[in-house]
Amino acid sequence: MSARAAPDRQDPMRIQVSRTGGFAGIARRHEVDTGGRADAAEWQALAEEALRSARDTPPTGVPDGFRYAITVGDRTVYCADPDLTGAQRTLISRVLKEGA
Amino acid sequence: MHLRTDGDLHPVFCTIVPPHVLDHLSRSADARLADPARRTLAADGLRRDRRRATALAAVPTTPGVGAVPTKPHRTLYDCGNGTTLPGRKVRDEGDKPTSDASVNRAYAGLGATFELLLSAYGRSSIDGKGLPLIGSVHYGEEYNNAFFDGEQMVFGDGDGEIFLDFTVAVDVIAHELAHGLTQHTANLRYEGQSGALNESVSDVFGSLVKQYSLGQSAEQADWLIGAGLLAPRVSGDALRSMKAPGTAYDDDVLGKDPQPGSMADYIETEEDNGGVHLNSGIPNRAFHLLATALGGNSWERAGQIWFDVLTGGELTANADFAQFARLTVAAAGDRFGAADEREAVLKAWSEVGVPTKA
Ligand SMILES: [Zn+2]
């Protein structure tokens, strides 16, 4: 990720991703706190893109498909496989991989 | 019986054996397992051919329109680790096996499911009209899942850390295809108890396809869903156990298998559409209890009762466990009379705490 951040005009942001459902029915939950991260601006841009045109209620989804809840700050949106936008897919995989 | 290693479906009268099963058998150093399995398969071939001939006679045909297909039409696609569906076409019905084991396993698994539906229940594909079967493999990167998107099956490769390739287990392939069967029949709403029934029906037919492919009786079957799917480092046998829900795995990363096996432990949750993959353990165990009480081949009597309920037109989309249970009692009576089968159905539901009286 880019190191070009502007921490002075960025509020630290918590990005949470919860994944439920799936064939195994095993839930995963991770979050990234952008505070103090050099790539905070990039995370913020990705999160905003992921939230754009996202639903405020969970979609029904498809049998065995993963369901996701993405929380950025105080807003939570929902999406489900396989109907994710590119930004949602990228954000989900990064948070689930990098998040604590 | 001729065991084919390419996973192809031999025209009309041949038992299919998925390559992974052959592979497993051939690699099995334990003669106690391998030899009886081979003998069972060989002995079962003739009986199965006879059964199939009977079932085929029962397949409805529409005069003037042509017979309902009695052979599958499978098409496999490769997503190349992308997420665009269906991906690139790599194997069509009748094509030679490819060099990709995932493609060949999915092809064989779809064939095995088609075979059970036709041979045991006289149904041509999931819609009863020979609907072509579509599967995509190598979906996403290290994707730890498989699903049915309403039109086709989708399989990930797994990350190798927790899950292996989702095509390695024939019951998983059949489970996905059974979601299509449910969609074309009772169309159980994927939420709460009807959703758990939807899941359970997929586990039941997933396991039946595996048992049928291996020629296993209820006593011989492992009653596991996703055996072989967990990576070697994971402590567990499979993803679910129909025989003993809650015992399939216990691992430091995955946690412990959370499935309940009776209504006393029913899980109320908002997640997973109301715990559809959790509470399915309850009807799963009821099916196992019935199948083992009846003995013999599970797909014959126990499977027939479940199939009759799923396809009979009375099961509602928002059915709860009790409605499903009552209908299985009625279906057992309709098909087998006031006999052992009906008593065994009542007992199975009673053991898992689901009422069968209105
Ligand atoms: Zn399922």
Side-chain angles (χ1 to χ4, degrees):
Chain A
M1 282 202 181
S2 160
R4 284 183 61 233
D8 54 319
R9 59 172 187 84
Q10 302 271 333
D11 290 330
M13 200 166 63
R14 241 167 36 128
I15 306 170
Q16 290 174 292
V17 170
S18 108
R19 189 191 78 194
T20 61
F23 184 88
I26 297 169
R28 281 277 172 273
R29 216 169 263 102
H30 286 291
E31 65 175 66
V32 164
D33 195 330
T34 65
R37 289 186 69 123
D39 55 3
E42 193 169 332
W43 277 104
Q44 177 146 357
L46 180 60
E48 278 168 10
E49 179 67 23
L51 259 57
R52 191 169 299 152
S53 77
R55 305 167 50 110
D56 293 319
T57 54
T60 310
V62 301
D64 298 322
F66 284 135
R67 274 88 175 143
Y68 305 96
I70 304 172
T71 304
V72 178
D74 56 6
R75 182 170 177 218
T76 299
V77 299
Y78 302 89
C79 51
D81 274 347
D83 298 320
L84 305 181
T85 66
Q88 286 167 350
R89 203 179 296 282
T90 304
L91 181 71
I92 287 164
S93 71
R94 282 190 191 168
V95 173
L96 289 181
K97 212 168 261 175
E98 287 192 32
Chain B
M1 187 184 64
H2 176 55
L3 297 181
R4 295 170 66 92
T5 53
D6 60 9
D8 206 343
L9 186 69
H10 197 278
V12 190
F13 293 115
C14 184
T15 306
I16 50 167
V17 180
H20 80 277
V21 171
L22 284 176
D23 194 40
H24 184 74
L25 287 174
S26 66
R27 278 189 289 108
S28 179
D30 188 345
R32 284 173 308 165
L33 295 177
D35 295 342
R38 288 196 196 98
R39 280 198 300 276
T40 307
L41 282 166
D44 201 43
L46 183 62
R47 287 199 298 278
R48 192 174 304 171
D49 289 350
R50 291 202 190 109
R51 262 203 320 279
R52 178 170 177 144
T54 312
L56 285 178
V59 174
T61 56
T62 312
V65 178
V68 170
T70 54
K71 285 206 257 179
H73 186 163
R74 295 161 285 182
T75 310
L76 272 296
Y77 295 82
D78 184 347
C79 291
N81 297 118
T83 51
T84 304
L85 290 170
R88 185 172 59 92
K89 190 195 281 192
V90 286
R91 189 174 177 189
D92 211 340
E93 187 64 41
D95 287 353
K96 288 201 306 271
T98 73
S99 57
D100 185 336
S102 303
V103 171
N104 299 333
R105 283 190 297 257
Y107 186 87
L110 298 183
T113 310
F114 185 96
E115 174 77 10
L116 176 77
L117 291 176
L118 187 69
S119 300
Y121 311 119
R123 187 177 181 87
S124 174
S125 192
I126 54 178
D127 66 342
K129 299 173 195 158
L131 189 77
L133 305 174
I134 303 165
S136 295
V137 300
H138 305 309
Y139 178 84
E141 286 177 26
E142 300 186 345
Y143 189 72
N144 275 338
N145 202 21
F147 62 89
F148 180 73
D149 81 346
E151 293 180 5
Q152 67 157 101
M153 282 127 291
V154 182
F155 303 95
D157 292 336
D159 60 2
E161 291 287 315
I162 297 172
F163 292 109
L164 305 178
D165 186 325
F166 275 72
T167 60
V168 298
V170 69
D171 47 300
V172 173
I173 298 169
H175 173 111
E176 295 311 330
L177 192 42
H179 278 308
L181 175 64
T182 297
Q183 181 180 303
H184 284 278
T185 53
N187 200 20
L188 291 159
R189 203 164 62 91
Y190 205 66
E191 180 103 42
Q193 289 198 13
S194 58
L197 286 169
N198 190 321
E199 267 307 306
S200 177
V201 161
S202 270
D203 279 351
V204 164
F205 287 100
S207 182
L208 290 180
V209 168
K210 179 177 171 180
Q211 292 176 35
Y212 182 83
S213 300
L214 290 168
Q216 288 178 330
S217 67
E219 295 74 24
Q220 292 166 325
D222 63 13
W223 294 98
L224 296 171
I225 299 297
L229 185 55
L230 292 171
R233 61 148 296 280
V234 178
S235 306
D237 301 321
L239 283 175
R240 291 186 277 278
S241 167
M242 299 179 69
K243 179 181 188 169
T247 66
Y249 59 88
D250 189 353
D251 180 74
D252 51 0
V253 174
L254 276 188
K256 186 180 180 303
D257 176 1
Q259 278 209 314
S262 73
M263 286 307 284
D265 301 314
Y266 186 92
I267 297 167
E268 294 284 355
T269 174
E270 303 257 297
E271 287 183 1
D272 187 26
N273 290 36
V276 297
H277 294 88
L278 301 179
N279 294 315
S280 55
I282 297 166
N284 275 0
R285 192 164 80 92
F287 184 83
H288 167 266
L289 288 167
L290 172 65
T292 48
L294 295 177
N297 294 324
S298 308
W299 60 87
E300 289 176 358
R301 288 182 291 167
Q304 184 73 61
I305 292 166
W306 251 239
F307 181 85
D308 287 349
V309 172
L310 183 68
T311 60
E314 286 186 71
L315 186 65
T316 60
N318 62 351
D320 59 8
F321 289 179
Q323 187 200 115
F324 189 89
R326 286 196 301 273
L327 288 172
T328 58
V329 175
D334 287 349
R335 194 166 276 274
F336 302 106
D340 299 349
E341 288 82 0
R342 191 173 172 280
E343 281 307 308
V345 171
L346 286 167
K347 191 156 180 291
W349 289 113
S350 164
E351 282 195 49
V352 302
V354 173
T356 43
K357 291 203 162 54

